[in-house]
Amino acid sequence: MEELNRHAYAADLELFERLQRESGAAGDGGGPDEWADAHAYSRGSVRLTLPELQQFFEEYIALMNRYKRPDAETPPGARTVHTRLLAFPGPGEYAHDSRDPHGSRDPHGSRDPHGSGPAGWP
């Protein structure tokens, strides 16, 4: 499963990089590409309980479903927009009200920003 995830993330990044290359080329002599800056990107963190994280995910899916439409209802000029959500607890991080093995709390909330979350959730 880990290898499949790595390939999926690599494929997503390749799509994003391809869009950037093609958007730059479209602006060269062919007029500006109105989608050239349509790279919505956000990165952040929030402190959630497990039930809140599950609710966050359900609300994300509801938002995605709100914008889905059949081909027959897709307006002219619409394009497929690829979206990805990766939400996971910080590896090695403890619940806010518990203490780490050394008896002190992590004031910044993250020890390893490059780790991965538990497999199979939700």
Side-chain angles (χ1 to χ4, degrees):
M1 188 64 167
E2 203 171 304
E3 187 67 20
L4 288 174
N5 283 334
R6 249 192 301 279
H7 286 291
Y9 296 142
D12 290 344
L13 287 174
E14 174 54 34
L15 278 175
F16 183 70
E17 291 168 357
R18 180 177 159 198
L19 172 67
Q20 290 177 315
R21 286 190 306 271
E22 290 177 3
S23 293
D28 297 343
D33 179 0
E34 65 181 324
W35 287 82
D37 292 327
H39 306 144
Y41 175 80
S42 175
R43 184 171 188 254
S45 63
V46 292
R47 291 190 173 272
L48 304 172
T49 62
L50 183 56
E52 289 172 328
L53 178 56
Q54 292 166 335
Q55 181 65 35
F56 181 92
F57 181 73
E58 288 175 21
E59 290 178 22
Y60 168 78
I61 296 301
L63 177 65
M64 292 292 299
N65 287 333
R66 194 169 85 209
Y67 285 91
K68 286 184 180 178
R69 58 185 110 178
D71 288 343
E73 296 175 20
T74 301
R79 290 176 64 172
T80 298
V81 175
H82 298 275
T83 60
R84 305 296 183 260
L85 171 68
L86 178 65
F88 56 92
E93 188 174 329
Y94 297 87
H96 185 66
D97 60 350
S98 65
R99 300 200 175 261
D100 71 20
H102 303 291
S104 63
R105 293 183 185 204
D106 177 8
H108 303 293
S110 180
R111 294 193 174 115
D112 178 9
H114 305 293
S116 60
W121 188 90

